[in-house]
């Protein structure tokens, strides 16, 4: 949930007519009436984490903590505690896993929350919406890469802003544990960075679209990777992927359309030079568009928002002087409506050369666009109807070298990213068709100090939506929503002519929802989710189908 308690995560991002209908549907009766007083706990076909069979120690940092009012005086969030690594399972570890167990009953919105350890964001997630009788859910997160922070006592922070009143009664109860898995011959210690740095939490708005922090890097730095946690929130930015071009909004004043178009890009810069870009996945939470779509299967990434990776190794040679260097994050577009913002955090993972106190280097090739190339084709059909196509692309290259104790290592990073959104609005926004897709390829090649290595990641992110609302002369209203979400990824590492590692994910989710009020009452929903993957553990495949809140045989 965005910061302000009044703002509703639902169909509100489309038009004034849709907003009015959303208010009717979502406040006219208790949420649990949709499928009765009970439905299944959240379930997903996604593959659970593979856990080592080594000795393990679990540390509980939060037990059945209640989150009732995040805006009270004082607020009950964030919850603060401390995390101390267990002496009986001393590192280095093969894996460290964060487990969250939650429960909630009554009526409540979906709420966003973050988890930080030592000031580093390690998880961004959201909650499910409850039934009257109550639901429980579990989320897990591999946090092994934060080992440089986890190996000493650190402050733990869990921030879940909730609101309860006479209507929204759901109180979240959440427990959190960290499980540390020791290493063995079969499960060797995980390879992690030597040091972590962070910009701290950020908030990007239309009025303040960028933020920066000065950081000092190790003078024997060898490689550097950034991860970006980011999510759009507020009346429009949560649904940025469905926003209209500004020209259409300006030609249809008073209808409540969200502008700035459907494309969002977060740009990461080093000393003012754009060094990489993040195109956020269109995460839809369990109250988005129509809650019936997500009961009991949440949207892709809804319970575990991505941490987007950006390889900054070509720029290492510019950061070795022991002086502060500016790391900044900016968003290309943001609405100015209440609470519209992009929030998150940038963490940086530094690997050093253990064989020398100083490394040297340089940036030898830099062809990174200051912003993506964006094109818009718009047809305004009048009366609040229209259609448009928005495209975006990036084709970036950066190459740099670092002189290390084991030779001169050159790293080249390429990014080839394309985006296309086609949307048609009819009947003042009550008839919508949306076809979005992103194709993202990153290639990192390195040579010197060992064999030639190439790491290639390709992601495909389709999203299709159809939404229809009608009302007849007798006052009967009908709403139908259907979606097709997907996330497809291949990850290949080659050493010379040999493929050293390969993994793939194919994740699809197709939910539908139907509401009818008036001469009859209809509340029905269904979903079909399939998850297939291949990795070092082997192949995995699972399909889950649901009808009206319950899995089918």
């Amino acid at each position: 949930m965005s910061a302000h308690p009044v703002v509703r995560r639902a169909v509100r991002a489309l038009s004034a007519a849709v907003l009015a209908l959303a208010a009717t549907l979502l406040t006219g009766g208790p949420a649990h009436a949709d499928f009765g007083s009970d439905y299944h706990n959240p379930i997903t076909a996604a593959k659970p984490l593979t856990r080592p069979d080594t000795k393990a120690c679990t540390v509980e940092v939060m037990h059945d903590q209640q989150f009732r009012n995040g805006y009270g005086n004082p607020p009950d969030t964030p919850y603060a505690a401390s995390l101390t690594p267990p002496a009986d399972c001393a590192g280095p570890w093969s894996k460290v896993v964060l487990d969250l167990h939650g429960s909630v009953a009554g009526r409540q919105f979906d709420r966003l929350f973050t988890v930080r350890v030592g000031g580093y964001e390690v998880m961004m997630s959201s909650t499910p919406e409850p039934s009257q009788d109550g639901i429980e859910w579990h989320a897990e997160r591999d946090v092994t890469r934060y080992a440089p922070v986890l190996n000493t006592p650190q402050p733990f922070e869990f921030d879940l802003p909730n609101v309860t009143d006479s209507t929204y009664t759901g109180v979240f109860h959440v427990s959190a544990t960290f499980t540390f898995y020791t290493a063995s011959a079969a499960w060797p210690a995980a390879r992690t960075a030597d040091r972590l740095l962070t910009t701290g939490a950020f908030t990007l708005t239309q009025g303040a679209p960028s933020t920066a922090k000065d950081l000092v890097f190790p003078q024997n730095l060898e490689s550097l990777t950034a991860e970006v946690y980011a999510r759009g929130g507020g009346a429009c930015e949560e649904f940025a992927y469905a926003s209209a071009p500004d020209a259409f909004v300006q030609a249809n004043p008073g209808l409540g359309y969200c502008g700035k178009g459907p494309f969002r890009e977060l740009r990461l810069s080093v000393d003012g030079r754009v060094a990489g870009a993040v195109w956020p996945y269109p995460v839809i939470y369990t109250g988005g568009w129509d809650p019936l779509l997500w009961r009991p299967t949440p949207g892709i990434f809804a319970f575990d928002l991505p941490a987007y990776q950006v390889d900054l190794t070509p720029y290492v040679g510019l950061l070795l002087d022991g002086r502060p260097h500016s790391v900044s994050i900016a968003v290309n577009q943001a609405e100015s409506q209440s609470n519209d913002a992009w929030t998150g955090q940038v963490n940086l993972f530094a690997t050093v050369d253990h064989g020398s106190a100083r490394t040297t280097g340089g940036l030898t090739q830099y062809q990174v666009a200051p912003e993506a190339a964006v094109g818009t084709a718009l047809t305004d059909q009048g009366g609040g109807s229209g259609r448009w196509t928005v495209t975006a692309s990036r084709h970036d290259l950066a190459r740099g070298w670092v002189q290390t104790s084991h030779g001169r290592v050159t790293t080249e990073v390429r990014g080839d990213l394309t985006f296309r959104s086609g949307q048609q609005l009819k009947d003042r926004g009550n008839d919508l068709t949306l076809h979005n897709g992103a194709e993202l390829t990153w290639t990192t090649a390195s040579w010197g100090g060992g064999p030639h290595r190439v790491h290639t990641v390709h992601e495909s992110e389709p999203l299709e939506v159809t939404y229809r609302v009608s009302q007849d002369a007798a006052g009967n209203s009908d709403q139908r929503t259907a979606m097709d979400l997907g996330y497809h990824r291949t990850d290949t590492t080659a050493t010379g002519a040999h493929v050293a590692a390969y993994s793939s994910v194919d994740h699809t989710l197709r939910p539908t929802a139907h509401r009818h009020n008036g001469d009859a009452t209809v509340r029905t929903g269904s979903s079909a989710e399939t998850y297939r993957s291949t990795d070092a553990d082997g192949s995995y495949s699972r399909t889950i189908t649901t009808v009206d809140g319950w899995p089918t045989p």
Side-chain angles (χ1 to χ4, degrees), residues 51-75:
R51 306 201 182 209
D53 59 4
T54 62
K55 178 184 177 181
C57 300
T58 297
V59 178
E60 185 175 62
V61 290
M62 187 169 69
H63 179 74
D64 199 31
Q65 181 66 28
Q66 294 187 26
F67 294 89
R68 183 183 302 273
N69 192 348
Y71 305 92
N73 187 19

Side-chain angles (χ1 to χ4, degrees), residues 180-267:
F180 296 78
Y181 295 88
T182 59
S184 69
W187 293 93
R191 297 181 62 183
T192 66
D194 297 295
R195 182 179 168 189
L196 272 61
L197 303 94
T198 183
T199 62
F202 65 74
T203 298
L204 309 177
T205 64
Q206 189 179 77
S210 66
T211 187
K213 185 174 182 179
D214 287 344
L215 299 172
V216 176
F217 295 88
Q219 290 185 274
N220 60 342
L221 187 63
E222 184 169 338
S223 66
L224 184 67
T225 301
E227 69 172 8
V228 180
Y229 287 95
R231 63 96 181 173
C236 288
E237 285 306 286
E238 182 182 317
F239 301 88
Y241 56 85
S243 293
D246 278 346
F248 185 80
V249 175
Q250 294 163 4
N252 295 273
L255 291 180
Y257 290 114
C258 291
K260 304 303 177 188
F263 173 69
R264 294 294 181 272
E265 173 178 83
L266 291 113
R267 294 186 285 268

Side-chain angles (χ1 to χ4, degrees), residues 153-179:
Q154 297 287 348
F156 168 85
E157 182 182 280
F158 189 96
D159 191 9
L160 196 169
N162 190 26
V163 174
T164 57
D165 54 29
S166 59
T167 302
Y168 300 103
T169 59
V171 176
F172 294 101
H173 296 249
V174 186
S175 297
T177 63
F178 288 81
T179 302

Side-chain angles (χ1 to χ4, degrees), residues 14 239-245 258-264 279-280 282 289 332 373-379 386-393 417-425 432-440 461-465:
L14 302 178
F239 301 88
Y241 56 85
S243 293
C258 291
K260 304 303 177 188
F263 173 69
R264 294 294 181 272
W279 292 7
W289 295 76
N332 68 323
V374 181
T376 301
L378 167 66
T379 301
R387 66 177 183 271
W388 53 85
T389 299
V390 175
T391 59
S393 64
L417 320 178
T418 61
F419 169 86
R420 180 181 177 87
S421 174
Q423 188 170 168
Q424 181 164 346
L425 284 179
L432 175 148
T433 303
L434 172 68
H435 301 281
N436 281 7
E439 299 290 332
L440 317 173
E461 302 174 349
L463 170 64
E464 298 190 6
V465 181

Side-chain angles (χ1 to χ4, degrees), residues 16-159:
V18 173
L19 289 174
L21 180 64
T24 299
L25 293 174
L26 297 175
T27 63
H32 57 73
D34 291 337
F35 291 147
S37 64
D38 191 25
Y39 46 84
H40 198 278
N41 291 336
I43 54 173
T44 177
K47 181 183 178 181
L49 291 178
T50 300
R51 306 201 182 209
D53 59 4
T54 62
K55 178 184 177 181
C57 300
T58 297
V59 178
E60 185 175 62
V61 290
M62 187 169 69
H63 179 74
D64 199 31
Q65 181 66 28
Q66 294 187 26
F67 294 89
R68 183 183 302 273
N69 192 348
Y71 305 92
N73 187 19
D76 62 9
T77 191
Y79 171 83
S82 61
L83 171 62
T84 299
D88 288 345
C89 293
W93 305 288
S94 57
K95 184 171 285 190
V96 184
V97 176
L98 165 63
D99 285 289
L100 300 177
H101 295 271
S103 64
V104 60
R107 188 182 190 193
Q108 192 52 262
F109 294 149
D110 50 333
R111 306 287 182 177
L112 288 163
F113 65 86
T114 57
V115 183
R116 290 185 173 87
V117 176
Y120 294 87
E121 187 156 350
V122 301
M123 185 177 191
M124 178 180 283
S125 185
S126 70
T127 67
E129 293 195 347
S131 66
Q132 180 187 28
D133 291 351
I135 58 173
E136 298 180 7
W137 83 101
H138 169 249
E140 59 181 6
R141 178 81 166 155
D142 185 343
V143 295
T144 313
R145 64 183 178 276
Y146 304 101
V149 173
L150 299 174
N151 59 16
T152 58
Q154 297 287 348
F156 168 85
E157 182 182 280
F158 189 96
D159 191 9

Side-chain angles (χ1 to χ4, degrees), residues 446-471:
S446 60
W447 55 91
H452 188 270
R453 298 170 298 278
V454 179
H455 180 215
T456 304
V457 175
H458 177 74
E459 295 179 342
S460 179
E461 302 174 349
L463 170 64
E464 298 190 6
V465 181
T466 58
Y467 178 84
R468 307 282 187 272
V469 179
S470 62
Q471 187 166 350

Side-chain angles (χ1 to χ4, degrees), residues 276-493:
V278 168
W279 292 7
Y281 185 87
V283 178
I284 305 174
Y285 308 105
T286 57
W289 295 76
D290 188 327
L292 298 180
L293 296 165
W294 318 112
R295 295 176 177 166
T297 304
I300 295 175
F301 294 127
F303 287 177
D304 189 5
L305 275 71
Y308 304 97
Q309 306 294 307
V310 180
D311 193 333
L312 300 178
T313 303
Y315 306 92
V316 162
L318 308 177
L319 307 173
L320 301 172
D321 55 9
R323 299 176 180 176
H325 291 270
S326 173
V327 177
S328 62
I329 187 79
V331 66
N332 68 323
Q333 299 279 2
E335 277 285 345
S336 59
Q337 296 192 29
S338 174
N339 294 312
D340 279 324
W342 284 85
T343 58
Q345 188 162 341
V346 180
N347 298 325
L348 297 115
F349 297 78
T351 300
V352 302
D353 180 4
H354 294 277
S356 66
R358 294 286 299 268
T359 53
T360 58
L363 179 67
T364 57
Q365 190 169 359
Y366 176 77
Q367 297 171 290
V368 180
E371 59 187 50
V374 181
T376 301
L378 167 66
T379 301
D380 190 335
Q381 298 169 320
S385 296
R387 66 177 183 271
W388 53 85
T389 299
V390 175
T391 59
S393 64
R394 265 190 176 277
H395 302 284
D396 299 331
L397 183 150
R399 181 186 298 165
W401 61 273
V402 180
Q403 187 66 44
T404 73
S405 61
H406 48 89
R408 176 169 168 150
V409 179
T410 300
T411 301
E412 178 183 279
V413 176
R414 293 178 177 268
D416 293 290
L417 320 178
T418 61
F419 169 86
R420 180 181 177 87
S421 174
Q423 188 170 168
Q424 181 164 346
L425 284 179
K426 300 178 182 178
D427 189 23
R428 301 170 66 86
N430 289 315
D431 186 335
L432 175 148
T433 303
L434 172 68
H435 301 281
N436 281 7
E439 299 290 332
L440 317 173
T441 301
W442 296 272
T443 304
T444 299
S446 60
W447 55 91
H452 188 270
R453 298 170 298 278
V454 179
H455 180 215
T456 304
V457 175
H458 177 74
E459 295 179 342
S460 179
E461 302 174 349
L463 170 64
E464 298 190 6
V465 181
T466 58
Y467 178 84
R468 307 282 187 272
V469 179
S470 62
Q471 187 166 350
D472 61 24
N476 301 305
S477 65
D478 195 81
Q479 173 183 313
R480 297 175 185 267
T481 311
M483 292 193 178
D484 192 338
L485 301 82
Y487 176 73
H488 310 282
R489 174 187 172 101
T490 59
D491 188 320
T492 305
T493 300

